[in-house]
């Protein structure tokens, strides 16, 4: 990949920053569309889940944006680890979010108990990557399995609740990510780039912007459905 203005991977930097803006923007949309119902006495117990999810992704994309400005041979070890650890933290939490929502876990004690295996899993991942072997290939495998598990649990739930119109956003999100995954796994033909700046990894990041918008359309739709069907008013 050709550098640009001193940035080692300009396309990945641009798309990572775009993904960050996408997450921040959908947070504002969520607040505008969903939070007002809480002020009217209509309880939605998963506010903190989706805000935590967006917070983790935002931190990850900040690290990713900074990491891709520099070469691995330069002083990039800290942002590199923050990028990798952040992705795994977010996907681990996303599986936790899927569990508590699809199984209807909505009490504080239940939230805490359900979090234990996910926390132990993530601590095990951190230990291995930090003290045993910092292995990018193993890291990718772990995250692929997490993504598959997340997709499977929501696929079953969305199929069972397919009468809800907003579930279409989950399937659209899945299609976007599935279409972009080969770019992350396989190299582009020739020198591995398009126009010298776009490699497979950057194109994978490019899918983050639309998938963020469609995923949050699903989350917001589900929140509004939940509130409408669990209103105390």
């Amino acid at each position: 990949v050709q550098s640009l203005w001193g940035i080692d991977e300009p396309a990945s930097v641009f798309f990572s920053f775009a993904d960050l803006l996408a997450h921040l923007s959908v947070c504002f949309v969520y607040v505008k569309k969903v939070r007002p119902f809480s002020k009217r006495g209509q309880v939605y117990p998963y506010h903190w889940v989706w805000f935590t999810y967006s917070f983790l992704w935002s931190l990850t994309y900040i690290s990713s944006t900074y990491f891709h400005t520099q070469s691995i041979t330069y002083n990039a070890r800290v942002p590199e680890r923050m990028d990798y650890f952040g992705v795994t933290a977010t996907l681990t939490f996303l599986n936790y979010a899927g569990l508590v929502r699809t199984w209807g876990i909505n009490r504080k004690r239940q939230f805490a108990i359900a979090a234990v295996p996910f926390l132990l899993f993530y601590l095990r991942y951190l230990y291995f990557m930090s003290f045993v072997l910092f292995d990018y290939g193993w890291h990718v495998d772990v995250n692929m399995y997490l993504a598959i598990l997340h997709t499977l649990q929501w696929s079953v739930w969305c199929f069972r609740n397919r009468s809800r119109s907003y579930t279409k956003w989950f399937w659209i999100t899945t299609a976007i990510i599935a279409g972009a995954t080969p770019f992350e796994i396989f190299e582009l033909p020739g020198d591995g780039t398009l126009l010298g700046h776009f490699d497979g990894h950057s194109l994978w990041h490019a899918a983050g912007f639309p998938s963020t918008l469609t995923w949050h359309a699903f989350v917001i739709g589900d929140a509004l459905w939940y509130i409408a069907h669990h209103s105390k008013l």
Side-chain angles (χ1 to χ4, degrees), residues 83-164:
D83 182 16
Y84 295 173
F85 296 170
V87 169
T88 307
T90 306
L91 288 177
T92 301
F93 185 83
L94 190 56
N95 276 277
Y96 167 74
L99 175 71
V100 298
R101 176 60 189 97
T102 60
W103 286 85
I105 295 172
N106 55 19
R107 299 180 184 277
K108 290 183 178 179
R109 184 175 182 179
Q110 294 174 333
F111 280 137
I113 294 173
V116 172
F118 294 94
L119 179 60
L120 292 176
F121 167 81
Y122 184 67
L123 291 176
R124 177 67 179 86
Y125 162 85
L126 281 181
Y127 173 80
F128 182 87
M129 289 287 285
S130 300
F131 301 107
V132 179
L133 178 65
F134 188 78
D135 186 341
Y136 176 74
W138 184 78
H139 160 79
V140 171
D141 288 343
V142 168
N143 285 280
M144 288 294 292
Y145 287 125
L146 287 172
I148 292 171
L149 179 60
H150 157 74
T151 302
L152 287 176
Q153 66 175 328
W154 276 111
S155 293
V156 172
W157 188 89
C158 285
F159 180 78
R160 293 178 61 186
N161 295 280
R162 57 190 178 278
S163 60
R164 304 180 192 180

Side-chain angles (χ1 to χ4, degrees), residues 5-123:
W5 302 325
I7 299 174
D8 278 359
E9 298 178 83
S12 290
V13 169
F14 174 80
F15 290 131
S16 293
F17 187 69
D19 295 340
L20 170 63
L21 294 181
H23 276 280
L24 295 177
S25 66
V26 293
C27 280
F28 285 111
V29 174
Y30 180 95
V31 170
K32 183 178 180 180
K33 289 189 174 183
V34 180
R35 287 303 294 272
F37 289 97
S38 296
K39 297 178 181 179
R40 302 173 194 168
Q42 295 166 292
V43 177
Y44 181 61
Y46 305 105
H47 285 308
W48 74 272
V49 172
W50 300 120
F51 278 117
T52 301
Y53 162 74
S54 287
F55 175 74
L56 290 173
W57 258 140
S58 296
L59 288 181
T60 300
Y61 280 123
I62 290 172
S63 301
S64 176
T65 300
Y66 178 63
F67 167 53
H68 287 299
T69 64
Q70 305 180 62
S71 169
I72 296 295
T73 58
Y74 191 63
N75 187 25
R77 293 188 179 276
V78 172
E80 179 187 20
R81 282 160 173 73
M82 290 177 63
D83 182 16
Y84 295 173
F85 296 170
V87 169
T88 307
T90 306
L91 288 177
T92 301
F93 185 83
L94 190 56
N95 276 277
Y96 167 74
L99 175 71
V100 298
R101 176 60 189 97
T102 60
W103 286 85
I105 295 172
N106 55 19
R107 299 180 184 277
K108 290 183 178 179
R109 184 175 182 179
Q110 294 174 333
F111 280 137
I113 294 173
V116 172
F118 294 94
L119 179 60
L120 292 176
F121 167 81
Y122 184 67
L123 291 176

